[in-house]
Amino acid sequence: MRSVWDVIIVGAGPAGMAAAIETASRGLLTLVLDRQSEAGGQIYKSIGSSALSGKLGADYSAGLPLLQGFQNCGAVFTPCANVWDVAADRVYVSVDGRSHCLLARQVVLAAGAMERPVPLPGWTLPGVIGSGASDILLKSASLVPQGPVVLCGNGPLVLQAAVHMHHFKVPVAGVLFTGRLGNMARAMRHAAWALARPGYFLHGMSMAAQTFFKQKCLLGVRDISIIETGPEELAVNFTSLGGKKKRLAAVTVLLHEGVISESRITRLARCRHTWDQRQRYWHADADVWGQTSVPGLRTAGDVAGVRGAVAARAEGHLAGLDICRELGRLDMLRRDRHAAPHLRVLKRCRALQPFLDEYFAPTPAMLQPADEAVVCRCENLTGQTLRQAISQGCYSPDGLKAQARPGMGPCQGRMCGQAVAEMIAHTQGLPLDALPQYTAQPPLFPLSLAQLADMTIPPDPS
């Protein structure tokens, strides 16, 4: 593998592919690394090979031209690559059991987003998965969940999953919405801006209408827990809007409480982060060209704030164009001319975002794990265990990590970090944005000593 590049892009989703198209097509040596075996990211998962590519809607099909442009732009794509450390001028990556230190004049982090993990009793049982994971299985392997299915949560992927279940004739026992009833009223304050993307807005309203008219829906649900009632049989217990305890039988339970930025890699790079008050998560702080607080290190896409695939593509193009300016392939005038349509797209996406963020704002009570819920899956720590440690005088996630070990496992707090912060803030009466995130440390993914011992570090080209 070549050791020195003009541009290294981490992530081959819509943002990473768009950035690569801009840089590689203008002659910059561009390497794109991704953990998956195919380009496309999660939103365009298997877009080039899925047997259902024509059956999952226009939003999914829109990724095919982007993929084709990426494949033809001249960038080098390395799949199945685990990036385990980054800096402004280098990337450490493991491929096929060997580690490499790669130097770059510019690094772009396009790691995307993830479903917000919300620990609740029974979420570790077989048959309980995220709505996003179900979507990935559908795209990559044409697999649908075994019914009856119960969908639980609050977010656009709940509506999408419900529509897919109906389309593929999977029986749905119920859709349990956990959002606050006042969300719609708060969202309507931003309704005028929804006209910035009328097609997208109407598509969302259509999914909502299909869900409410074709599925059994319950609003204001709380106190959800899942139990195993038999071989491949589950039951979802919950409290309905009127305070009545209810139960639904299921074979598969899909959970979704929104999407948040994948911040581990930007924390590893020591980028400055910003708190999203409406959606309650941290994301990398970057300007419109993707430049972070670390010179030479940029972001593109949802890693710097979740705004969806269309915005991610625009941000990727903008980051790529400004890299071309900085590395001498475009002057400022030509950069701005090429950037103009992407800036208009991004402006429309940002105009709509407050409406979506308010409509799908998480319910704070849902983010507080029950005592019996496993919060840290790596260390098998329950809500009760962690609350006891917090109440004894813990005021930060890293402090709780030292006392009780959440975040010490191989995922480095990816699954428990949000819940731990919510618990500390609630127990100690602290504002969430005052709590620092877990400190990310290399290696970001498990790595053998042999890989470290065999790695060579190329000389600095300067």
Side-chain angles (χ1 to χ4, degrees), residues 296-335:
L297 198 151
R298 299 173 187 260
T299 62
D302 287 346
V303 73
V306 178
R307 284 179 284 270
V310 174
R313 289 174 62 169
E315 290 170 352
H317 283 294
L318 293 171
L321 286 167
D322 198 51
I323 288 172
C324 292
R325 176 203 58 79
E326 187 160 329
L327 300 186
R329 299 303 169 116
L330 287 175
D331 59 31
M332 188 81 74
L333 187 63
R334 292 174 63 203
R335 182 207 68 176

Side-chain angles (χ1 to χ4, degrees), residues 112 261-268 273 282-284 303 437:
S261 294
E262 172 56 272
S263 66
R264 286 184 306 163
I265 195 164
T266 49
R267 284 186 280 125
L268 187 64
H273 286 71
W282 290 95
H283 61 79
V303 73
Q437 301 177 89

Side-chain angles (χ1 to χ4, degrees), residues 100-323:
H100 309 268
C101 175
L102 309 177
L103 303 183
R105 298 167 71 188
Q106 291 275 309
V107 175
V108 181
L109 303 180
M114 59 180 283
E115 282 190 280
R116 183 200 309 270
V118 177
L120 51 80
W123 76 311
T124 60
L125 289 172
V128 182
I129 61 174
S131 291
S134 173
D135 188 57
I136 290 170
L137 289 172
L138 179 62
K139 293 171 181 175
S140 60
S142 301
L143 292 175
V144 295
Q146 185 177 353
V149 174
V150 173
L151 293 93
C152 307
N154 172 44
L157 292 188
V158 175
L159 302 178
Q160 178 178 279
V163 170
H164 285 165
M165 295 304 103
H166 178 76
H167 179 76
F168 292 103
K169 297 180 172 55
V170 178
V172 174
V175 184
L176 311 182
F177 289 100
T178 60
R180 291 172 290 185
L181 296 183
N183 281 2
M184 174 56 82
R186 285 183 285 271
M188 290 307 294
R189 294 178 299 183
H190 310 282
W193 293 107
L195 299 178
R197 296 180 67 189
Y200 187 85
F201 179 74
L202 291 174
H203 175 61
M205 295 300 291
S206 173
M207 287 199 302
Q210 291 180 65
T211 301
F212 280 94
F213 285 116
K214 295 178 180 178
Q215 309 287 9
K216 177 184 177 182
C217 298
L218 292 93
L219 301 176
V221 171
R222 55 188 172 86
D223 301 330
I224 296 174
S225 64
I226 306 164
I227 60 172
E228 208 166 19
T229 56
E232 298 185 1
E233 292 181 0
L234 301 171
V236 181
N237 298 316
F238 60 95
T239 303
S240 65
L241 185 60
K244 188 176 181 181
K245 301 288 185 180
K246 295 185 178 181
R247 170 180 288 195
L248 291 175
V251 172
T252 306
V253 179
L254 302 184
L255 304 177
H256 180 72
E257 284 290 340
V259 177
I260 61 176
S261 294
E262 172 56 272
S263 66
R264 286 184 306 163
I265 195 164
T266 49
R267 284 186 280 125
L268 187 64
R270 303 299 184 257
C271 297
R272 184 173 60 240
H273 286 71
T274 296
W275 174 251
D276 187 304
Q277 184 62 42
R278 290 190 182 100
Q279 285 291 311
R280 301 169 77 95
Y281 70 89
W282 290 95
H283 61 79
D285 185 19
D287 66 15
V288 73
W289 306 106
Q291 181 61 60
T292 69
S293 59
V294 180
L297 198 151
R298 299 173 187 260
T299 62
D302 287 346
V303 73
V306 178
R307 284 179 284 270
V310 174
R313 289 174 62 169
E315 290 170 352
H317 283 294
L318 293 171
L321 286 167
D322 198 51
I323 288 172

Side-chain angles (χ1 to χ4, degrees), residues 27 37 60 85 89 107 116 148 185 196 214 216 223 230 242 274 282 300 309 336 348 373 387 402 430 453 455 458:
S37 59
Y60 181 59
D85 197 9
D89 63 344
V107 175
R116 183 200 309 270
K214 295 178 180 178
K216 177 184 177 182
D223 301 330
T274 296
W282 290 95
D336 290 346
R348 290 196 297 269
R387 279 196 181 88
L430 299 172
M455 183 178 66

